[in-house]
């Protein structure tokens, strides 16, 4: 029996509990297309409270000509439910790249009212992209090992020769030998950074308080590269420990906050928001594991900068992809590798004035708060 066909004697409070337990956005629109009900997931999906949504028509969020609006009219006319897959509901208010599967059904005892359930496709697509990020990181692993052996040794000889020449050339030529030394040192530094990718040792993990990590990273940022930027915290204090390596988490969030601060530049209203939340229901199949891995912990780094160019967004975690003039393009690739080594997912959603880096990770195995996930 569907929710919309439930007996009329089901208490409203019980119906709300059931609908709020569904891990997908669910709304009901009345005969005039006003949003008359929204569950908790719908509030997150639309970025507005239930009280705010109830004063708006659906077309305030869904663009004119959207297939969803046509589906609602079809359901009203036929008085029968309809499923539609991979529907684009992108809009200025919902953001770009919002692809969903839809279930639309009539409410039997309220003429003209319709229930809409959204199943976001983005998470499946993000998981696919995450596996691509991991493959890219593995390709850098092999490249790093080769570079360390085949490039660093000859560079050492080149630098030594430049040093010997420096003592026996004119002042004008000495500037050239210094240039050779400096550029050689720069290449060695780049290769050293890439060698991080060749470390295939198992990650040493333990229960870690993510808020302690974020507090430490925030203090480092405000003392240095983000001293003129406002950093806001929006934490869930009841969050269980994350099963991770503390030092590597510090490295991940330092990278993300540094990226955000550089994107903001000298913007006077620049702001970085750090959020943590518990999102049960996200499970990932990983190679070599007999059961799906639960990823209930969500950590976000959000900034109100200009956003990531659309042509780069899909490749942002690939090695050597960067929007910075002097960037190496390895920082986010390293973030993807570390999160992937922890069995997690990292993704970026970006539009003008809002860029969010979202990390989903497993809780500590010693924590029982998500035990129900396996049932």
């Amino acid at each position: 029996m569907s929710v919309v066909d439930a007996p009329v004697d089901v208490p409203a409070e019980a119906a709300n509990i059931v609908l709020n337990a569904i891990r997908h956005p669910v709304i009901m629109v009345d005969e005039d297309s006003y949003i008359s009900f929204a569950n908790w997931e719908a509030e997150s999906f639309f970025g507005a409270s239930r009280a705010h949504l109830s004063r708006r028509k659906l077309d305030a969020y869904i663009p004119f000509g959207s297939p969803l609006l046509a589906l609602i009219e079809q359901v009203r006319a036929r008085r029968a439910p309809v499923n539609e897959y991979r529907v684009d509901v992108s809009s200025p208010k919902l953001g770009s790249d919002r692809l969903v599967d839809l279930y639309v059904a009539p409410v039997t005892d309220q003429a003209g009212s319709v229930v809409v359930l959204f199943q976001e496709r983005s998470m499946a697509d993000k998981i696919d992209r995450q596996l691509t990020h991991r493959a890219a990181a593995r390709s850098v692993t092999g490249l790093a090992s080769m570079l360390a052996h085949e490039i660093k040794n000859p560079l050492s000889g080149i630098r030594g020769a430049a040093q010997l020449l420096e003592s026996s050339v004119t002042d004008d030529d000495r500037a050239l030998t210094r240039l050779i030394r400096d550029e050689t040192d720069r290449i060695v530094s780049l290769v050293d950074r890439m060698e991080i990718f060749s470390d295939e040792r198992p990650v040493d993990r333990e229960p870690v308080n993510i808020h302690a990590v974020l507090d430490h990273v925030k203090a480092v940022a405000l003392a240095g590269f983000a001293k003129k930027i406002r950093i806001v915290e929006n934490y869930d204090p009841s969050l269980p420990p994350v099963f991770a390596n503390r030092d590597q988490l510090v490295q991940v969030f330092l990278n993300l906050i540094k990226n955000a601060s550089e994107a903001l530049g000298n913007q006077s209203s620049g702001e970085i928001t750090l959020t943590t939340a518990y999102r049960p229901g996200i499970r990932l199949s990983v190679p070599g594991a007999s059961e799906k891995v639960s990823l209930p912990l969500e950590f976000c780094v959000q900034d109100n900068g200009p956003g990531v160019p659309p042509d780069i967004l899909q490749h942002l975690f690939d090695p050597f992809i960067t929007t910075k003039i002097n960037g190496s393009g390895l920082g986010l690739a390293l973030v993807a590798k570390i999160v992937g080594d922890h069995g997690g997912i990292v993704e970026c959603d970006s539009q003008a004035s809002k860029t969010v880096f979202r990390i989903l990770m497993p809780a500590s195995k010693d924590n029982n708060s998500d035990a129900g996930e396996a049932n």
Side-chain angles (χ1 to χ4, degrees):
M1 184 189 318
S2 68
V3 172
V4 293
D5 293 326
V8 293
D9 60 348
V10 174
E13 182 180 353
N16 282 339
I17 292 172
V18 171
L19 289 168
N20 285 324
I22 296 174
R23 308 313 302 177
H24 299 292
V26 177
I27 63 171
M28 184 169 73
V29 296
D30 64 18
E31 58 183 347
D32 296 319
S33 292
Y34 279 92
I35 300 172
S36 56
F37 173 83
N39 70 347
W40 292 339
E41 288 293 321
E43 290 181 308
S44 175
F45 181 80
F46 286 96
S49 67
R50 190 180 310 183
H52 182 84
L53 289 170
S54 65
R55 297 193 297 269
R56 299 289 187 277
K57 284 189 173 184
L58 182 59
D59 59 13
Y61 297 90
I62 303 298
F64 176 78
S66 168
L68 172 56
L69 301 179
L71 283 174
I72 290 175
E73 292 304 320
Q74 180 182 339
V75 167
R76 283 174 176 154
R78 293 176 51 190
R79 302 192 179 204
V82 172
N83 286 292
E84 189 76 17
Y85 300 98
R86 300 187 69 84
V87 176
D88 188 355
V89 293
S90 303
S91 72
K93 289 191 176 180
L94 295 184
S96 59
D97 194 26
R98 301 304 294 266
L99 208 60
V100 298
D101 296 340
L102 294 170
Y103 173 73
V104 187
V107 179
T108 54
D109 61 343
Q110 296 186 31
S113 291
V114 172
V115 166
V116 183
L117 183 147
F118 301 80
Q119 184 170 3
E120 291 192 79
R121 293 290 308 172
S122 57
M123 183 52 65
D125 296 336
K126 287 174 183 177
I127 290 172
D128 289 342
R129 288 200 295 270
Q130 180 65 24
L131 295 177
T132 301
H133 301 332
R134 293 180 188 177
R138 283 195 295 271
S139 69
V140 175
T141 297
L143 179 61
S145 298
M146 180 274 292
L147 284 173
H149 183 266
E150 300 294 338
I151 294 182
K152 288 178 72 174
N153 289 340
L155 285 176
S156 177
I158 293 171
R159 193 185 191 287
Q163 264 185 307
L164 291 174
L165 284 173
E166 192 169 344
S167 61
S168 59
V169 297
T170 65
D171 289 343
D172 290 341
D173 290 337
R174 193 170 292 120
L176 295 176
T177 60
R178 281 199 295 267
L179 177 63
I180 294 172
R181 284 170 43 200
D182 291 345
E183 287 300 291
T184 302
D185 289 343
R186 187 177 67 83
I187 296 171
V188 170
S189 175
L190 178 61
V191 174
D192 285 341
R193 288 184 64 190
M194 292 187 64
E195 277 193 291
I196 299 173
F197 289 92
S198 64
D199 188 354
E200 291 297 311
R201 292 173 298 178
V203 179
D204 184 17
R205 292 190 279 175
E206 61 183 356
V208 175
N209 183 336
I210 189 61
H211 299 135
V213 169
L214 292 176
D215 287 345
H216 172 77
V217 172
K218 178 182 175 181
V220 172
L222 291 176
F225 55 82
K227 63 176 65 175
K228 296 182 179 179
I229 296 174
R230 182 168 179 256
I231 299 181
V232 178
E233 299 169 348
N234 184 8
Y235 296 163
D236 178 353
S238 65
L239 212 64
V242 57
F243 189 54
N245 180 286
R246 182 189 180 279
D247 291 341
Q248 291 192 2
L249 283 185
V250 169
Q251 191 171 10
V252 163
F253 286 103
L254 272 176
N255 262 314
L256 295 180
I257 294 176
K258 189 171 189 294
N259 271 4
S261 66
E262 290 173 349
L264 292 169
N266 296 321
Q267 183 176 318
S268 59
S269 59
E271 182 176 284
I272 297 173
T273 303
L274 308 178
T275 65
T276 64
Y278 192 81
R279 304 290 189 198
I282 303 299
R283 296 169 67 81
L284 174 65
S285 295
V286 295
S290 57
E291 296 182 355
K292 290 184 177 181
V293 177
S294 178
L295 305 175
L297 306 185
E298 179 186 86
F299 315 132
C300 297
V301 177
Q302 177 180 321
D303 68 74
N304 60 345
V308 180
D311 56 331
I312 292 180
L313 187 59
Q314 300 298 321
H315 310 285
L316 198 57
F317 295 97
D318 294 347
F320 309 115
I321 300 296
T322 181
T323 58
K324 304 172 190 174
I325 295 176
N326 297 315
S328 65
L330 293 178
L332 290 179
L334 180 60
V335 167
K337 180 184 186 298
I338 291 174
V339 175
D341 288 346
H342 282 75
I345 294 172
V346 58
E347 191 49 65
C348 175
D349 295 319
S350 184
Q351 53 188 296
S353 301
K354 184 179 180 182
T355 297
V356 182
F357 282 90
R358 181 177 294 102
I359 295 174
L360 300 175
M361 293 191 71
S364 169
K365 293 179 180 177
D366 296 332
N367 179 74
N368 294 321
S369 63
D370 63 336
E373 294 287 308
N375 293 333

